[in-house]
Amino acid sequence: MSSYAMPSDWPTDERTARAVQDGLRTRVVLDEAGPPPGTGHVTGVDVAYDDERDVVAAAVVVLDAATLDVVEEATAVGKVAFPYVPGLLAFREIPTVLAALGELRSDPGLVVCDGYGVAHPRRFGLASHLGVLTGLPTIGVAKNPFTFVYEDPAAVRGSASPLLDGAEEVGRALRTREGVKPVFVSAGHRVSLDRACAHTLRLTPRYRLPESTRRADALCRSALRAAAG
DNA sequence: GCGACAG
DNA sequence: ATCTTGTCGC
């Protein structure tokens, strides 16, 4: 039995999905600093699809936050439950992610999502949604700026600039590798933006993307091939 | 109405 | 996300 239960009223249409986001957004907690970087566990989450066969595979990889060594891995396969609609990504990814999380024996610690948290049209992206449903601290690290505006950060690793939705800073463009395109970090649930960035830098000692998501990405792809392709 | 648009 | 070879560079 999974300890992370999916709501029984999972929406199947866009209208209802947006209403669900509006109903849950008030539960997002943003006044907690979150776990100190380099302590406990950090868990990467990612999902791969085979829309041709209507199959989706999710992977969660738990890392030791201090060493980045793999502590535990888990995967789950399911049917695609929602189409990709910008702003509604969570409804496509979360069902299978919850199933994979439910297979873990370890405490996930901080969950790092491939996408956004509060940097979202209704301030309730994938990372925030997953955080509210599980109660776990979460952050979002995306590869693209979505609809937000930002100034290119300085070339040196560690530089950052605000990711803006109008005048509001909803996240940060963070340079994780010298001279390489930045990643886009946002708080998800129970973690501050400053700390989300600090975690992201600790997770990127060598590559642009966090080790957690790189590991989860490789794992969900192989899980998908094993299940379908 | 048209274009943009996390993964 | 996914379709896809070679190629430039550290």
Side-chain angles (χ1 to χ4, degrees):
Chain A
M1 182 191 294
S2 168
S3 36
Y4 301 109
M6 185 176 78
S8 55
D9 59 333
W10 203 249
T12 55
D13 66 276
E14 298 184 24
R15 187 92 176 90
T16 307
R18 291 194 183 84
V20 168
Q21 292 183 325
D22 285 327
L24 293 177
R25 54 186 295 183
T26 60
R27 300 194 202 176
V28 175
V29 173
L30 297 174
D31 59 6
E32 280 183 35
T39 65
H41 292 166
V42 175
T43 297
V45 172
D46 196 19
V47 177
Y49 302 91
D50 183 333
D51 288 298
E52 194 77 1
R53 305 191 181 190
D54 208 44
V55 177
V56 51
V60 292
V61 179
V62 183
L63 305 181
D64 177 300
T67 62
L68 303 190
D69 289 331
V70 177
V71 171
E72 186 182 355
E73 305 178 327
T75 61
V77 174
K79 280 192 66 176
V80 176
F82 206 89
Y84 170 66
V85 179
L88 301 179
L89 179 65
F91 297 96
R92 182 170 168 78
E93 312 219 323
I94 285 184
T96 317
V97 167
L98 287 177
L101 280 173
E103 296 298 313
L104 292 177
R105 176 186 171 184
S106 313
D107 175 345
L110 174 76
V111 176
V112 180
C113 295
D114 190 2
Y116 282 117
V118 295
H120 177 275
R122 287 168 293 283
R123 304 292 179 271
F124 199 65
L126 171 64
S128 297
H129 201 147
L130 184 61
V132 166
L133 293 186
T134 62
L136 298 169
T138 63
I139 68 173
V141 179
K143 299 182 287 297
N144 295 294
F146 199 7
T147 61
F148 307 111
V149 177
Y150 71 100
E151 302 263 297
D152 202 38
V156 59
R157 167 180 149 80
S159 299
S161 58
L163 188 61
L164 306 169
D165 184 354
E168 182 181 355
E169 179 183 45
V170 295
R172 219 163 271 165
L174 180 65
R175 189 85 67 188
T176 54
R177 284 203 68 190
E178 170 94 34
V180 173
K181 176 179 177 177
V183 294
F184 304 89
V185 181
S186 57
H189 181 60
R190 301 179 53 205
V191 183
S192 70
L193 178 56
D194 281 342
R195 196 155 268 187
C197 288
H199 276 109
T200 301
L201 285 174
R202 292 199 63 124
L203 289 166
T204 51
R206 174 162 184 177
Y207 300 104
R208 177 192 176 226
L209 298 179
E211 279 307 307
S212 41
T213 59
R214 295 184 72 252
R215 284 251 163 65
D217 178 75
L219 184 56
C220 69
R221 292 195 192 202
S222 64
L224 182 64
R225 294 190 317 179

PDB file of all heavy atoms in Angstrom, chain A residues 130-152:
ATOM      1  N   LEU A 130       2.986  18.454  -5.921  1.00  0.00           N
ATOM      2  CA  LEU A 130       3.503  17.216  -5.332  1.00  0.00           C
ATOM      3  C   LEU A 130       3.791  17.423  -3.842  1.00  0.00           C
ATOM      4  O   LEU A 130       3.556  16.530  -3.022  1.00  0.00           O
ATOM      5  CB  LEU A 130       4.790  16.784  -6.055  1.00  0.00           C
ATOM      6  CG  LEU A 130       5.385  15.451  -5.613  1.00  0.00           C
ATOM      7  CD1 LEU A 130       4.403  14.297  -5.862  1.00  0.00           C
ATOM      8  CD2 LEU A 130       6.698  15.183  -6.359  1.00  0.00           C
ATOM      9  N   GLY A 131       4.273  18.608  -3.491  1.00  0.00           N
ATOM     10  CA  GLY A 131       4.566  18.900  -2.091  1.00  0.00           C
ATOM     11  C   GLY A 131       3.309  18.903  -1.237  1.00  0.00           C
ATOM     12  O   GLY A 131       3.276  18.324  -0.148  1.00  0.00           O
ATOM     13  N   VAL A 132       2.268  19.525  -1.730  1.00  0.00           N
ATOM     14  CA  VAL A 132       1.012  19.599  -0.979  1.00  0.00           C
ATOM     15  C   VAL A 132       0.398  18.202  -0.801  1.00  0.00           C
ATOM     16  O   VAL A 132      -0.113  17.862   0.261  1.00  0.00           O
ATOM     17  CB  VAL A 132       0.009  20.530  -1.685  1.00  0.00           C
ATOM     18  CG1 VAL A 132      -1.403  20.348  -1.122  1.00  0.00           C
ATOM     19  CG2 VAL A 132       0.448  21.985  -1.516  1.00  0.00           C
ATOM     20  N   LEU A 133       0.461  17.380  -1.845  1.00  0.00           N
ATOM     21  CA  LEU A 133      -0.128  16.035  -1.759  1.00  0.00           C
ATOM     22  C   LEU A 133       0.651  15.094  -0.848  1.00  0.00           C
ATOM     23  O   LEU A 133       0.077  14.193  -0.242  1.00  0.00           O
ATOM     24  CB  LEU A 133      -0.242  15.407  -3.150  1.00  0.00           C
ATOM     25  CG  LEU A 133      -1.221  16.058  -4.134  1.00  0.00           C
ATOM     26  CD1 LEU A 133      -1.317  15.218  -5.403  1.00  0.00           C
ATOM     27  CD2 LEU A 133      -2.595  16.222  -3.497  1.00  0.00           C
ATOM     28  N   THR A 134       1.955  15.293  -0.748  1.00  0.00           N
ATOM     29  CA  THR A 134       2.772  14.382   0.067  1.00  0.00           C
ATOM     30  C   THR A 134       3.208  14.977   1.406  1.00  0.00           C
ATOM     31  O   THR A 134       3.583  14.241   2.312  1.00  0.00           O
ATOM     32  CB  THR A 134       4.065  13.993  -0.682  1.00  0.00           C
ATOM     33  OG1 THR A 134       4.840  15.182  -0.919  1.00  0.00           O
ATOM     34  CG2 THR A 134       3.748  13.326  -2.009  1.00  0.00           C
ATOM     35  N   GLY A 135       3.197  16.299   1.491  1.00  0.00           N
ATOM     36  CA  GLY A 135       3.646  16.949   2.715  1.00  0.00           C
ATOM     37  C   GLY A 135       5.156  17.103   2.738  1.00  0.00           C
ATOM     38  O   GLY A 135       5.717  17.690   3.666  1.00  0.00           O
ATOM     39  N   LEU A 136       5.823  16.614   1.701  1.00  0.00           N
ATOM     40  CA  LEU A 136       7.283  16.663   1.646  1.00  0.00           C
ATOM     41  C   LEU A 136       7.790  18.020   1.157  1.00  0.00           C
ATOM     42  O   LEU A 136       7.111  18.711   0.403  1.00  0.00           O
ATOM     43  CB  LEU A 136       7.803  15.595   0.681  1.00  0.00           C
ATOM     44  CG  LEU A 136       7.491  14.136   1.028  1.00  0.00           C
ATOM     45  CD1 LEU A 136       7.832  13.238  -0.172  1.00  0.00           C
ATOM     46  CD2 LEU A 136       8.302  13.709   2.259  1.00  0.00           C
ATOM     47  N   PRO A 137       9.010  18.418   1.593  1.00  0.00           N
ATOM     48  CA  PRO A 137       9.591  19.662   1.087  1.00  0.00           C
ATOM     49  C   PRO A 137       9.978  19.426  -0.374  1.00  0.00           C
ATOM     50  O   PRO A 137      10.579  18.400  -0.705  1.00  0.00           O
ATOM     51  CB  PRO A 137      10.805  19.899   1.997  1.00  0.00           C
ATOM     52  CG  PRO A 137      11.176  18.534   2.465  1.00  0.00           C
ATOM     53  CD  PRO A 137       9.846  17.822   2.648  1.00  0.00           C
ATOM     54  N   THR A 138       9.623  20.364  -1.245  1.00  0.00           N
ATOM     55  CA  THR A 138       9.927  20.198  -2.672  1.00  0.00           C
ATOM     56  C   THR A 138      10.431  21.494  -3.314  1.00  0.00           C
ATOM     57  O   THR A 138      10.139  22.591  -2.847  1.00  0.00           O
ATOM     58  CB  THR A 138       8.659  19.788  -3.461  1.00  0.00           C
ATOM     59  OG1 THR A 138       7.689  20.842  -3.369  1.00  0.00           O
ATOM     60  CG2 THR A 138       8.027  18.520  -2.928  1.00  0.00           C
ATOM     61  N   ILE A 139      11.184  21.321  -4.391  1.00  0.00           N
ATOM     62  CA  ILE A 139      11.632  22.472  -5.189  1.00  0.00           C
ATOM     63  C   ILE A 139      11.510  22.073  -6.655  1.00  0.00           C
ATOM     64  O   ILE A 139      11.423  20.883  -6.981  1.00  0.00           O
ATOM     65  CB  ILE A 139      13.102  22.884  -4.910  1.00  0.00           C
ATOM     66  CG1 ILE A 139      14.072  21.817  -5.391  1.00  0.00           C
ATOM     67  CG2 ILE A 139      13.296  23.177  -3.433  1.00  0.00           C
ATOM     68  CD1 ILE A 139      15.547  22.242  -5.309  1.00  0.00           C
ATOM     69  N   GLY A 140      11.492  23.074  -7.534  1.00  0.00           N
ATOM     70  CA  GLY A 140      11.411  22.780  -8.951  1.00  0.00           C
ATOM     71  C   GLY A 140      12.654  23.327  -9.638  1.00  0.00           C
ATOM     72  O   GLY A 140      13.082  24.449  -9.367  1.00  0.00           O
ATOM     73  N   VAL A 141      13.247  22.530 -10.512  1.00  0.00           N
ATOM     74  CA  VAL A 141      14.406  22.976 -11.289  1.00  0.00           C
ATOM     75  C   VAL A 141      14.059  22.674 -12.747  1.00  0.00           C
ATOM     76  O   VAL A 141      14.050  21.519 -13.161  1.00  0.00           O
ATOM     77  CB  VAL A 141      15.693  22.227 -10.887  1.00  0.00           C
ATOM     78  CG1 VAL A 141      16.867  22.717 -11.738  1.00  0.00           C
ATOM     79  CG2 VAL A 141      15.993  22.442  -9.409  1.00  0.00           C
ATOM     80  N   ALA A 142      13.749  23.739 -13.504  1.00  0.00           N
ATOM     81  CA  ALA A 142      13.336  23.565 -14.890  1.00  0.00           C
ATOM     82  C   ALA A 142      14.446  23.930 -15.874  1.00  0.00           C
ATOM     83  O   ALA A 142      15.365  24.679 -15.555  1.00  0.00           O
ATOM     84  CB  ALA A 142      12.099  24.422 -15.157  1.00  0.00           C
ATOM     85  N   LYS A 143      14.335  23.381 -17.061  1.00  0.00           N
ATOM     86  CA  LYS A 143      15.352  23.616 -18.088  1.00  0.00           C
ATOM     87  C   LYS A 143      15.004  24.807 -18.972  1.00  0.00           C
ATOM     88  O   LYS A 143      15.853  25.326 -19.681  1.00  0.00           O
ATOM     89  CB  LYS A 143      15.494  22.354 -18.952  1.00  0.00           C
ATOM     90  CG  LYS A 143      15.928  21.130 -18.167  1.00  0.00           C
ATOM     91  CD  LYS A 143      16.109  19.905 -19.039  1.00  0.00           C
ATOM     92  CE  LYS A 143      14.806  19.306 -19.506  1.00  0.00           C
ATOM     93  NZ  LYS A 143      13.951  18.813 -18.410  1.00  0.00           N
ATOM     94  N   ASN A 144      13.746  25.221 -18.940  1.00  0.00           N
ATOM     95  CA  ASN A 144      13.303  26.349 -19.765  1.00  0.00           C
ATOM     96  C   ASN A 144      12.541  27.393 -18.945  1.00  0.00           C
ATOM     97  O   ASN A 144      11.907  27.062 -17.954  1.00  0.00           O
ATOM     98  CB  ASN A 144      12.427  25.829 -20.911  1.00  0.00           C
ATOM     99  CG  ASN A 144      13.227  24.956 -21.859  1.00  0.00           C
ATOM    100  OD1 ASN A 144      14.138  25.418 -22.532  1.00  0.00           O
ATOM    101  ND2 ASN A 144      12.909  23.667 -21.871  1.00  0.00           N
ATOM    102  N   PRO A 145      12.581  28.656 -19.391  1.00  0.00           N
ATOM    103  CA  PRO A 145      11.940  29.767 -18.676  1.00  0.00           C
ATOM    104  C   PRO A 145      10.421  29.844 -18.741  1.00  0.00           C
ATOM    105  O   PRO A 145       9.816  30.684 -18.123  1.00  0.00           O
ATOM    106  CB  PRO A 145      12.599  30.990 -19.304  1.00  0.00           C
ATOM    107  CG  PRO A 145      12.829  30.554 -20.716  1.00  0.00           C
ATOM    108  CD  PRO A 145      13.349  29.140 -20.557  1.00  0.00           C
ATOM    109  N   PHE A 146       9.790  28.922 -19.469  1.00  0.00           N
ATOM    110  CA  PHE A 146       8.334  28.902 -19.563  1.00  0.00           C
ATOM    111  C   PHE A 146       7.886  30.273 -20.099  1.00  0.00           C
ATOM    112  O   PHE A 146       8.418  30.720 -21.101  1.00  0.00           O
ATOM    113  CB  PHE A 146       7.739  28.647 -18.183  1.00  0.00           C
ATOM    114  CG  PHE A 146       6.307  28.154 -18.209  1.00  0.00           C
ATOM    115  CD1 PHE A 146       5.661  27.819 -19.383  1.00  0.00           C
ATOM    116  CD2 PHE A 146       5.602  28.009 -17.013  1.00  0.00           C
ATOM    117  CE1 PHE A 146       4.344  27.349 -19.374  1.00  0.00           C
ATOM    118  CE2 PHE A 146       4.281  27.540 -17.003  1.00  0.00           C
ATOM    119  CZ  PHE A 146       3.661  27.222 -18.172  1.00  0.00           C
ATOM    120  N   THR A 147       6.980  30.954 -19.446  1.00  0.00           N
ATOM    121  CA  THR A 147       6.522  32.250 -19.945  1.00  0.00           C
ATOM    122  C   THR A 147       7.157  33.410 -19.194  1.00  0.00           C
ATOM    123  O   THR A 147       6.808  34.567 -19.422  1.00  0.00           O
ATOM    124  CB  THR A 147       4.992  32.369 -19.786  1.00  0.00           C
ATOM    125  OG1 THR A 147       4.670  32.263 -18.401  1.00  0.00           O
ATOM    126  CG2 THR A 147       4.287  31.277 -20.545  1.00  0.00           C
ATOM    127  N   PHE A 148       8.093  33.090 -18.294  1.00  0.00           N
ATOM    128  CA  PHE A 148       8.666  34.129 -17.452  1.00  0.00           C
ATOM    129  C   PHE A 148       9.835  34.882 -18.082  1.00  0.00           C
ATOM    130  O   PHE A 148      10.472  34.408 -19.015  1.00  0.00           O
ATOM    131  CB  PHE A 148       9.055  33.529 -16.105  1.00  0.00           C
ATOM    132  CG  PHE A 148       7.908  32.808 -15.471  1.00  0.00           C
ATOM    133  CD1 PHE A 148       7.915  31.424 -15.351  1.00  0.00           C
ATOM    134  CD2 PHE A 148       6.779  33.509 -15.050  1.00  0.00           C
ATOM    135  CE1 PHE A 148       6.817  30.747 -14.810  1.00  0.00           C
ATOM    136  CE2 PHE A 148       5.685  32.851 -14.504  1.00  0.00           C
ATOM    137  CZ  PHE A 148       5.699  31.466 -14.388  1.00  0.00           C
ATOM    138  N   VAL A 149      10.091  36.054 -17.508  1.00  0.00           N
ATOM    139  CA  VAL A 149      11.142  36.931 -18.025  1.00  0.00           C
ATOM    140  C   VAL A 149      12.345  36.955 -17.080  1.00  0.00           C
ATOM    141  O   VAL A 149      12.190  36.902 -15.858  1.00  0.00           O
ATOM    142  CB  VAL A 149      10.585  38.372 -18.170  1.00  0.00           C
ATOM    143  CG1 VAL A 149      11.679  39.319 -18.626  1.00  0.00           C
ATOM    144  CG2 VAL A 149       9.419  38.375 -19.150  1.00  0.00           C
ATOM    145  N   TYR A 150      13.536  37.029 -17.656  1.00  0.00           N
ATOM    146  CA  TYR A 150      14.738  37.082 -16.807  1.00  0.00           C
ATOM    147  C   TYR A 150      15.891  37.690 -17.587  1.00  0.00           C
ATOM    148  O   TYR A 150      15.881  37.711 -18.810  1.00  0.00           O
ATOM    149  CB  TYR A 150      15.126  35.677 -16.343  1.00  0.00           C
ATOM    150  CG  TYR A 150      15.681  34.802 -17.450  1.00  0.00           C
ATOM    151  CD1 TYR A 150      17.065  34.609 -17.586  1.00  0.00           C
ATOM    152  CD2 TYR A 150      14.828  34.199 -18.379  1.00  0.00           C
ATOM    153  CE1 TYR A 150      17.574  33.820 -18.612  1.00  0.00           C
ATOM    154  CE2 TYR A 150      15.338  33.415 -19.403  1.00  0.00           C
ATOM    155  CZ  TYR A 150      16.708  33.222 -19.509  1.00  0.00           C
ATOM    156  OH  TYR A 150      17.202  32.453 -20.522  1.00  0.00           O
ATOM    157  N   GLU A 151      16.845  38.204 -16.834  1.00  0.00           N
ATOM    158  CA  GLU A 151      18.046  38.770 -17.435  1.00  0.00           C
ATOM    159  C   GLU A 151      19.078  37.660 -17.333  1.00  0.00           C
ATOM    160  O   GLU A 151      19.117  36.936 -16.337  1.00  0.00           O
ATOM    161  CB  GLU A 151      18.534  39.968 -16.613  1.00  0.00           C
ATOM    162  CG  GLU A 151      17.502  41.066 -16.459  1.00  0.00           C
ATOM    163  CD  GLU A 151      17.693  42.182 -17.478  1.00  0.00           C
ATOM    164  OE1 GLU A 151      18.751  42.835 -17.432  1.00  0.00           O
ATOM    165  OE2 GLU A 151      16.795  42.383 -18.305  1.00  0.00           O
ATOM    166  N   ASP A 152      19.912  37.531 -18.340  1.00  0.00           N
ATOM    167  CA  ASP A 152      20.905  36.469 -18.307  1.00  0.00           C
ATOM    168  C   ASP A 152      21.864  36.699 -17.129  1.00  0.00           C
ATOM    169  O   ASP A 152      22.448  37.776 -17.016  1.00  0.00           O
ATOM    170  CB  ASP A 152      21.682  36.477 -19.630  1.00  0.00           C
ATOM    171  CG  ASP A 152      22.332  35.140 -19.896  1.00  0.00           C
ATOM    172  OD1 ASP A 152      21.720  34.110 -19.587  1.00  0.00           O
ATOM    173  OD2 ASP A 152      23.461  35.135 -20.416  1.00  0.00           O
TER     174      ASP A 152
END
